[in-house]
Amino acid sequence: MAKIKVHVFLKAGVLDVQGKAVEGALQGLGWSGVSNARVGKLIEFDLDGVEDPQGEAKKMCEQLLANTVIEGYRIEAA
Amino acid sequence: MAKIKVHVFLKAGVLDVQGKAVEGALQGLGWSGVSNARVGKLIEFDLDGVEDPQGEAKKMCEQLLANTVIEGYRIEAA
């Protein structure tokens, strides 16, 4: 069984409104040194019964987990 | 300047509906070996002008980034 972690994030150049909101809120709380905040998703699951967990996870990202028009992804299989 | 990564996830025992949806969708697409899917948030930002980035990030989690009633968090400072 493989433990898969998929990090899905907005591509550089795509406005990250959630990140901007976090950045503004942290600055408002006094952390003026916060910059470049980005918010992404981390999807974790167990994967059983496949030969190539990394390759299957890539297919999952392309088909379902990431919107590849605006999002990138990074896969860790352990 | 420190690069901070904060992983915010629902505590074990809290129903993760988004994770269940991902799990069901992947199984529906033919990946029957998928289980225990959980979806969390990954917040990344740069932090300038503080003595102890890890400690400040912990304060940010407690005050804003995580709902500590139902969510846990993990901080990486680099």
Side-chain angles (χ1 to χ4, degrees), chain A residues 7-77:
Chain A
H7 176 202
V8 179
F9 47 88
L10 284 168
K11 286 181 180 168
V14 179
L15 179 66
D16 183 350
V17 286
Q18 220 185 336
K20 285 274 169 236
V22 165
E23 190 175 312
L26 287 174
Q27 288 170 348
L29 287 169
W31 284 289
S32 55
V34 171
S35 58
N36 298 321
R38 308 282 289 175
V39 178
K41 269 182 296 190
L42 192 66
I43 304 161
E44 297 174 296
F45 54 89
D46 299 336
L47 183 55
D48 240 332
V50 298
E51 294 265 305
D52 174 15
Q54 180 98 25
E56 293 298 323
K58 188 166 188 296
K59 281 190 218 160
M60 291 176 191
C61 288
E62 296 287 335
Q63 280 188 44
L64 181 80
L65 301 178
N67 173 357
T68 53
V69 177
I70 55 168
E71 292 174 328
Y73 56 85
R74 196 169 54 226
I75 298 163
E76 284 172 55

